[in-house]
């Protein structure tokens, strides 16, 4: 959506036409919300903006067929190393030489993903933040093999879609999640020890640190399964780092399929 709205030709690829229909509908709804604010007193200009954006966007279920004429591939599939590697390996065979590959992963090593291809110098991380149309930040990740030209292209693209890029080395969690995930885990440990209630911890961080959500609200919003997946991955990389220690309470909730907002219950209950 953001790339198409800024004049780029975009092909959205997913596993089925059904998913793609749903995605396109979601993008249309999102564009309507954007235009309501952006073109509040110019409804004609708003309608034109939506039409123009949607013209830049096509869909496909065949990534290999699409990649032949692509300058940049941004992967945003399931957070699973093997599945991502498989996709990149396949696309690497069919993409033109100049095509840059980027991953939107928030927790996996970009270097490991790049190693599944023959274009390690044309591979980097582009980590967007949710919800992407609203959030201004993009973390641009440079691995030891990413060329300066590739890195600059990724920074330029981030600016061209209206975002503010920051740069980070290929370190677990990059900047934001490297600070945010241990903070959320520390909040869970504080609660596990019985030092404060989760409600009071959330209120304290909202009123005392000016955060829009408390750590437990944020965990429920992100998904407890996703948070567990990230911390487990980092724990296996650095088993002696106390910041990456797993939480018995988080493990228990995930086991009980209480994954947060999306399942109706996590640390809190949702109707």
């Amino acid at each position: 959506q953001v790339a198409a709205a800024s004049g780029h030709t975009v092909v959205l690829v997913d596993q089925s036409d059904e998913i793609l229909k749903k995605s396109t509908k979601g993008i249309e709804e999102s564009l309507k919300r954007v235009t309501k604010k952006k073109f509040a007193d110019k409804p004609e200009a708003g309608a034109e903006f939506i039409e123009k954006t949607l013209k830049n966007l096509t869909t496909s279920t065949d990534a290999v067929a699409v990649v032949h004429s692509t300058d940049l591939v941004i992967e945003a599939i399931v957070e699973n190393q093997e599945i991502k590697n498989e996709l990149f390996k396949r696309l690497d065979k069919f993409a033109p030489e100049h095509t840059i590959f980027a991953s939107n992963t928030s927790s996996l090593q970009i270097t490991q993903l790049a190693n599944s291809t023959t274009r390690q110098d044309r591979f980097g991380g582009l980590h967007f933040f949710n919800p992407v149309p609203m959030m201004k930040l993009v973390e641009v990740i440079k691995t030891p093999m990413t060329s300066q030209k590739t890195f600059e292209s990724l920074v330029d693209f981030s600016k061209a879609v209206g975002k503010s890029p920051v740069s980070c080395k290929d370190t677990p969690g990059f900047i934001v999640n490297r600070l945010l995930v241990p903070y959320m885990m520390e909040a869970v440990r504080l609660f596990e020890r019985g030092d404060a209630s989760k409600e009071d911890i959330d209120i304290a961080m909202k009123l005392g640190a000016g955060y829009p959500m408390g750590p437990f609200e944020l965990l429920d919003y992100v998904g407890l399964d996703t948070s567990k997946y990230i911390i487990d991955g980092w724990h296996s990389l650095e088993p002696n780092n106390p910041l990456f220690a797993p939480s018995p309470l988080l493990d228990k909730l995930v086991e009980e399929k209480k994954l947060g907002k999306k399942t109706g219950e996590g640390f809190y209950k949702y109707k």
Side-chain angles (χ1 to χ4, degrees):
Q1 179 191 322
V2 166
S6 53
H8 296 82
T9 307
V10 185
V11 186
L12 176 64
V13 180
D14 216 316
Q15 290 177 315
S16 71
D17 288 321
E18 196 186 338
I19 296 169
L20 288 166
K21 270 190 193 122
K22 202 176 161 192
S23 301
T24 310
K25 196 169 184 290
I27 288 171
E28 280 182 46
E29 294 301 316
S30 178
L31 284 168
K32 281 175 191 165
R33 286 196 295 275
V34 170
T35 48
K36 257 186 190 159
K37 280 184 186 171
K38 204 173 169 186
F39 302 97
D41 40 6
K42 296 179 194 160
E44 293 90 3
E48 198 183 315
F49 169 74
I50 292 176
E51 194 188 333
K52 216 170 165 184
T53 300
L54 291 174
K55 262 192 188 149
N56 288 335
L57 188 70
T58 51
T59 61
S60 173
T61 53
D62 188 350
V64 164
V66 169
V67 84
H68 286 288
S69 55
T70 305
D71 296 320
L72 173 65
V73 172
I74 302 176
E75 165 277 316
I77 65 171
V78 63
E79 279 290 79
N80 178 304
Q81 182 90 49
E82 279 167 40
I83 298 172
K84 284 187 194 286
N85 281 352
E86 228 167 82
L87 175 69
F88 280 127
K89 203 173 179 175
R90 199 166 87 238
L91 295 183
D92 187 44
K93 291 190 181 89
F94 298 96
E97 188 131 329
H98 74 277
T99 306
I100 293 173
F101 283 9
S103 176
N104 180 52
T105 181
S106 56
S107 65
L108 299 172
Q109 273 194 309
I110 302 293
T111 307
Q112 299 282 16
L113 298 172
N115 284 342
S116 65
T117 72
T118 58
R119 61 184 75 221
Q120 287 100 326
D121 58 326
R122 284 150 290 154
F123 203 115
L126 272 183
H127 183 221
F128 290 81
F129 286 78
N130 249 336
V132 180
M134 311 294 292
M135 300 289 269
K136 294 292 283 182
L137 187 69
V138 177
E139 291 175 325
V140 182
I141 313 308
K142 191 175 195 256
T143 77
M145 295 97 71
T146 309
S147 73
Q148 188 59 24
K149 189 183 169 197
T150 298
F151 172 70
E152 283 166 12
S153 298
L154 292 173
V155 168
D156 289 345
F157 173 75
S158 304
K159 288 177 181 169
V161 297
K163 301 299 175 197
S164 300
V166 293
S167 169
C168 185
K169 286 182 181 174
D170 191 15
T171 180
F174 315 134
I175 298 173
V176 175
N177 283 327
R178 179 63 180 78
L179 297 173
L180 195 58
V181 174
Y183 147 75
M184 293 193 294
M185 294 303 291
E186 204 50 35
V188 176
R189 292 181 198 114
L190 191 68
F191 173 56
E192 277 177 321
R193 290 194 300 268
D195 294 341
S197 71
K198 53 185 189 285
E199 291 80 4
D200 281 354
I201 295 169
D202 276 355
I203 290 167
M205 291 314 292
K206 284 191 285 191
L207 302 185
Y211 287 10
M213 278 185 200
F216 293 97
E217 291 171 307
L218 188 55
L219 279 158
D220 278 354
Y221 177 76
V222 169
L224 305 193
D225 50 342
T226 307
S227 306
K228 174 177 158 53
Y229 179 82
I230 294 170
I231 210 73
D232 287 353
W234 293 358
H235 180 62
S236 64
L237 281 177
E238 295 182 32
N240 299 323
N241 188 335
L243 290 176
F244 299 165
S247 146
L249 177 58
L250 184 65
D251 291 349
K252 180 174 173 280
L253 288 169
V254 171
E255 205 176 306
E256 291 168 357
K257 302 273 186 287
K258 293 173 182 168
L259 308 180
K261 249 183 160 167
K262 59 187 170 188
T263 58
E265 187 176 349
F267 284 103
Y268 297 112
K269 285 183 178 167
Y270 302 88
K271 277 179 187 154

